[in-house]
Amino acid sequence: HGGVYVKRSAKFNEKEMREKLRAQMKAETPMYLVIFPEGTRYNPEIPKVIADSQSFAEKEGLAILKHVLTPRVKATHVAIDTMKDYLDAVYDVTVAYEGTVDHKGQRKLAPSMTEFLCKECPRVHIFIDRIELKDIPEEQMYMRRWLHERFEIKDKLLIEFYDAKDSKRRNKFPGKSVHSKLSLKKTLPSLLFLGGLTASMLLTESGRKLYVKTWIYGTLIGCLWVSIKP
């Protein structure tokens, strides 16, 4: 699918990443390039990851963050530097989930798909901030400081969302909001089509064989394609 693969450590193939990004630009296909600079999920059930992140920030003289991990800049810098003549802005997206604070006021793990569908998480809140490319430093050293400052803003948003003493300010982001419901009308046709297609294959012996072969050979071909495609 043209995805760009990076490792969670800073030791990834920068040249290969730049080549893949240039291929996307050359194709001129409209796209969103999504980067998660934290490198891994914020998981309250794994306190060591959070503690290590905060310890690293303290050692580097950076602000210690409570609700997000210390961001890593390399992949972000490579992406923006490579695509600077192709982009006009970067969107800073912060996501928060209702129903993920326990009775002690501690954050829980983000909801699974099952929990979300069972309405244990009634709403997902998304805060979007558009940043002009000209406002982002080009040098990696300065971009690192800028990226951390963006995560300080995220942290303040999430502190208000999860920890605000005023209950009226909890479970919401500041500013004007747009409420978007995921209606049955939007989801049911896809469910019926895909469910019917899958069921019709599994009900016959030849369909079941085709289904298994699709998974096996599709996976192998996909892995081979990823390994040989520049």
Side-chain angles (χ1 to χ4, degrees):
H1 294 89
V4 180
Y5 293 88
V6 297
K7 292 183 179 179
R8 287 177 175 176
S9 69
K11 298 177 182 178
F12 63 86
N13 192 325
E14 179 180 330
K15 181 182 177 183
E16 185 178 340
M17 181 178 176
R18 288 184 184 272
E19 286 174 354
K20 287 192 173 184
L21 291 172
R22 290 190 187 105
Q24 292 283 2
M25 291 187 290
K26 186 177 180 181
E28 297 184 347
T29 305
M31 68 168 187
Y32 288 108
L33 175 67
V34 183
I35 295 178
F36 299 88
E38 291 164 288
T40 189
R41 295 185 183 99
Y42 178 98
N43 186 345
E45 296 178 3
I46 309 179
K48 185 181 183 305
V49 173
I50 299 171
D52 288 347
S53 173
Q54 293 175 340
S55 176
F56 175 79
E58 184 178 20
K59 185 177 72 174
E60 296 294 316
L62 301 167
I64 296 173
L65 308 171
K66 180 181 179 182
H67 282 291
V68 289
L69 301 177
T70 304
R72 307 175 187 195
V73 73
K74 187 174 180 181
T76 303
H77 177 260
V78 170
I80 294 176
D81 182 61
T82 305
M83 304 181 76
K84 59 189 176 185
D85 296 327
Y86 191 73
L87 304 173
D88 59 354
V90 169
Y91 290 85
D92 185 352
V93 181
T94 305
V95 181
Y97 304 92
E98 280 189 31
T100 52
V101 175
D102 64 20
H103 64 282
K104 295 180 181 178
Q106 298 296 314
R107 268 185 72 183
K108 297 186 294 183
L109 190 64
S112 65
M113 180 61 73
T114 304
E115 290 168 335
F116 181 71
L117 293 173
C118 291
K119 292 194 173 182
E120 291 182 38
C121 169
R123 292 184 187 87
V124 178
H125 295 252
I126 305 172
F127 187 89
I128 303 173
D129 197 5
R130 187 180 192 274
I131 305 160
E132 296 285 342
L133 203 64
K134 62 181 179 61
D135 296 328
I136 302 174
E138 292 189 12
E139 293 291 329
Q140 182 170 321
M141 180 177 63
Y142 297 114
M143 188 182 289
R144 181 188 181 205
R145 173 66 65 175
W146 167 84
L147 185 62
H148 197 84
E149 288 172 354
R150 294 304 313 179
F151 270 70
E152 288 180 58
I153 294 171
K154 286 179 182 291
D155 203 42
K156 289 175 182 176
L157 286 169
L158 293 171
I159 286 171
E160 282 291 298
F161 187 92
Y162 291 115
D163 305 333
K165 293 180 180 179
D166 184 353
S167 59
K168 292 181 180 178
R169 292 163 62 188
R170 233 175 285 147
N171 287 330
K172 62 176 65 175
F173 283 135
K176 185 179 178 181
S177 62
V178 177
H179 186 211
S180 178
K181 294 184 72 174
L182 190 60
S183 68
L184 194 63
K185 182 180 177 182
K186 291 180 179 178
T187 57
L188 187 59
S190 298
L191 174 64
L192 293 175
F193 175 76
L194 293 172
L197 187 64
T198 305
S200 64
M201 290 180 69
L202 297 179
L203 286 173
T204 63
E205 185 178 350
S206 58
R208 287 192 290 272
K209 289 180 179 179
L210 176 62
Y211 187 79
V212 172
K213 286 180 180 178
T214 301
W215 275 105
I216 294 172
Y217 294 118
T219 302
L220 291 174
I221 292 170
C223 290
L224 181 64
W225 178 255
V226 166
S227 64
I228 64 172
K229 187 176 183 294

